């Protein structure tokens, strides 16, 4: 195919009807394509566990109001995608980040769990089975999200930042913990926060492990 023919096809290629589009949606021109891809991801991938929610960057150096910059990633400029994947890296669901003001299907829940929590709930909404296990990092972790997931029988685990709202303030201080030591607190809703000391403190939060201490006995 010649260059001119390719550019002509690209010029007239549309995946949405311009007469009925919602211009408040920054992705209105490709929204049907994104919905079709998400549907196919679920159909083609056998669902397994554990699941992971994280961000991914698609390299793009042109001009776009959706372009993001993240110095911590190898691909640090481009479009940011939220992805729900399994342990093999297969994508079940994905969405393009359009900014902090992107629309939510439930503004009350969004207000409670924040942007990160809203992303998690949106991606998990495509999964119908209960008792799924999902992991994510501290970007997505306000404590109310854990309670919301538990109410939907979704088991979650991940790291959390100690400056998050509602994070317990009465855990043992960093100076009092030796390497390998830990402390924990749990809420009446069954949410547990752990602090474990490696080379530096690691903070974890989860909604499905209990707080009963166990001892592993080796018969070797």
């Amino acid at each position: 195919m010649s260059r001119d023919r390719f550019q002509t096809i690209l010029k007239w290629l549309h995946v949405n009807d311009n007469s009925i589009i919602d211009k408040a949606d920054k992705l209105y021109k490709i929204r049907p394509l994104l919905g079709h891809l998400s549907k196919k991801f679920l159909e083609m991938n056998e669902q397994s566990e554990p699941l992971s929610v994280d961000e991914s960057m698609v390299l793009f150096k042109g001009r776009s109001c959706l372009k993001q910059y993240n110095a911590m990633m190898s691909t640090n400029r481009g479009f940011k995608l939220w992805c729900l994947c399994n342990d093999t890296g297969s994508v079940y669901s994905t969405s393009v980040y359009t900014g902090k003001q992107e629309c939510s299907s439930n503004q009350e829940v969004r207000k409670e769990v924040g942007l990160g929590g809203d992303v998690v709930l949106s991606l998990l909404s495509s999964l119908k089975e209960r008792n799924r296990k999902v992991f994510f990092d501290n970007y997505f972790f306000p404590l109310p999200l854990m309670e919301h997931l538990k109410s939907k029988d979704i088991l979650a685990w991940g790291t959390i930042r100690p400056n998050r709202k509602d994070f317990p303030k009465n855990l043992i201080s960093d100076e009092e913990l030796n390497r390998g030591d830990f402390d924990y607190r749990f809420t009446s809703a069954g949410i547990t926060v752990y602090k474990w000391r490696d080379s530096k403190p690691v903070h974890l939060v989860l909604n499905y492990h209990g707080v009963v201490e166990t001892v592993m006995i080796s018969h070797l």
Side-chain angles (χ1 to χ4, degrees):
M1 182 185 298
S2 68
R3 180 197 62 187
D4 290 346
R5 177 168 173 76
F6 174 79
Q7 290 181 343
T8 300
I9 293 175
L10 187 63
K11 177 181 178 181
W12 297 106
L13 182 64
H14 288 262
V15 296
N16 206 352
D17 185 347
N18 288 344
S19 65
I20 59 172
I21 56 178
D22 177 13
K23 292 189 177 181
D25 180 5
K26 295 180 180 179
L27 297 170
Y28 66 89
K29 288 191 175 182
I30 59 170
R31 183 62 66 185
L33 176 61
L34 295 176
H36 178 75
L37 289 175
S38 292
K39 181 180 178 181
K40 289 300 180 183
F41 289 156
L42 283 174
E43 290 178 357
M44 300 299 293
N45 292 321
E46 181 180 352
Q47 295 188 18
S48 62
E49 292 182 337
L51 301 174
S52 173
V53 174
D54 209 342
E55 61 182 299
S56 178
M57 294 287 285
V58 177
L59 180 63
F60 179 74
K61 296 183 178 180
R63 294 183 179 180
S64 174
C65 63
L66 301 179
K67 188 171 68 172
Q68 300 289 315
Y69 174 74
N70 188 337
M72 302 298 292
M73 302 188 72
S74 56
T75 302
N76 54 27
R77 284 183 174 84
F79 299 118
K80 180 190 290 188
L81 305 182
W82 307 118
C83 298
L84 174 66
C85 307
N86 66 5
D87 55 348
T88 66
S90 298
V91 176
Y92 290 146
S93 182
T94 184
S95 63
V96 181
Y97 177 62
T98 58
K100 291 184 178 180
Q101 303 304 318
E102 60 186 359
C103 296
S104 172
S105 58
N106 190 326
Q107 290 297 327
E108 288 299 320
V109 173
R110 169 70 174 272
K111 184 178 179 180
E112 179 184 1
V113 303
L115 170 63
D118 191 39
V119 168
V120 172
L121 296 176
S122 176
L123 293 176
L124 290 174
S125 64
S126 58
L127 302 178
K128 305 302 180 184
E129 297 85 349
R130 293 175 176 268
N131 297 322
R132 305 305 297 269
K133 297 181 179 67
V134 60
F135 298 80
F136 32 93
D137 63 26
N138 55 37
Y139 176 85
F140 303 95
F141 253 120
L143 285 175
L145 171 63
M146 302 300 288
E147 297 180 3
H148 195 83
L149 291 174
K150 187 168 185 176
S151 70
K152 294 180 174 293
D153 294 326
I154 297 175
L155 312 179
W157 181 100
T159 55
I160 186 172
R161 299 170 187 169
N163 60 353
R164 286 284 195 179
K165 182 180 178 181
D166 299 326
F167 187 87
K169 305 299 182 183
N170 57 345
L171 290 168
I172 296 177
S173 66
D174 297 354
E175 294 76 16
E176 296 179 79
L177 286 176
N178 297 317
R179 189 165 187 167
D181 291 344
F182 68 93
D183 191 18
Y184 64 87
R185 297 292 184 273
F186 59 95
T187 71
S188 58
I191 311 302
T192 309
V193 176
Y194 287 91
K195 180 177 183 178
W196 173 67
R197 181 64 184 259
D198 189 23
S199 56
K200 60 181 180 179
V202 179
H203 301 87
L204 311 171
V205 60
L206 54 159
N207 66 6
Y208 64 93
H209 277 302
V211 294
V212 178
E213 295 186 15
T214 61
V215 178
M216 296 184 64
I217 300 177
S218 174
H219 295 285
L220 298 178

